[in-house]
Amino acid sequence: MRVFPMIFVGAAIAAITPAAAQTNVQAQDPDAPHAPLPYDRGYDKDSPRTEAIDAAGRPAVNAANRAALADSSSQAAAQADVQAADSAQYAADVAAYRQAMHAHHREIARDEARYARQERAYADAMVDWRRQVYACKHGSNAACNAPTPDPADYQ
């Protein structure tokens, strides 16, 4: 029966904790009203004062915006020229790559053909060598004294 009071105390603490946490969060809410600043920043709201401050610098801002727009337009034209040059270079690179791949494939085909010829020459030389060995083992001195077949002679 001693367990019951401890369970009761634990449940009470668990019930109180969220309520205390919620009141603490509400006090720290960033959207809650604050005390006003001791000075006016001048840009946080529209007022005759902020309009007067902005009006003094407005022509310079407009001139800077026009200059930036003109600069970006000229950069866009220059970038279009660069892209056209890049596009031509890209096409040339693709063509060079394809040409290199065709040359590489031709080289591989030549190597495969040469390898196939060498393989057939070796196999033909081995057939003749086995016949020579068979003849030598069955009493042919000419076969025993003959040189070993050379695959180079079969190409």
Side-chain angles (χ1 to χ4, degrees):
M1 293 308 256
R2 294 178 126 171
V3 175
F4 182 71
M6 290 198 314
I7 292 175
F8 180 73
V9 169
I13 290 173
I16 294 172
T17 302
Q22 287 178 358
T23 57
N24 191 15
V25 169
Q26 288 174 352
Q28 295 176 356
D29 183 16
D31 293 331
H34 298 255
L37 294 173
Y39 56 91
D40 185 9
R41 294 184 293 191
Y43 59 85
D44 57 347
K45 58 187 176 235
D46 290 332
S47 70
R49 179 173 175 242
T50 58
E51 294 297 326
I53 292 170
D54 288 346
R58 184 60 51 201
V61 170
N62 288 338
N65 287 341
R66 281 191 300 275
L69 181 62
D71 187 42
S72 68
S73 297
S74 65
Q75 285 180 358
Q79 188 175 12
D81 293 341
V82 168
Q83 285 177 347
D86 285 347
S87 177
Q89 182 63 47
Y90 182 82
D93 290 342
V94 168
Y97 175 78
R98 286 183 181 156
Q99 184 179 5
M101 285 293 99
H102 288 304
H104 180 67
H105 291 307
R106 282 192 301 271
E107 183 179 340
I108 288 173
R110 280 194 308 268
D111 288 346
E112 287 176 353
R114 187 182 74 226
Y115 178 74
R117 282 193 311 272
Q118 290 173 344
E119 189 175 31
R120 279 192 310 274
Y122 178 78
D124 292 344
M126 288 304 295
V127 167
D128 287 348
W129 179 75
R130 285 190 182 89
R131 287 182 187 152
Q132 183 180 348
V133 169
Y134 180 80
C136 181
K137 287 186 178 182
H138 287 86
S140 172
N141 283 337
C144 292
N145 293 332
T148 304
D150 185 10
D153 295 336
Y154 293 84
Q155 289 187 8

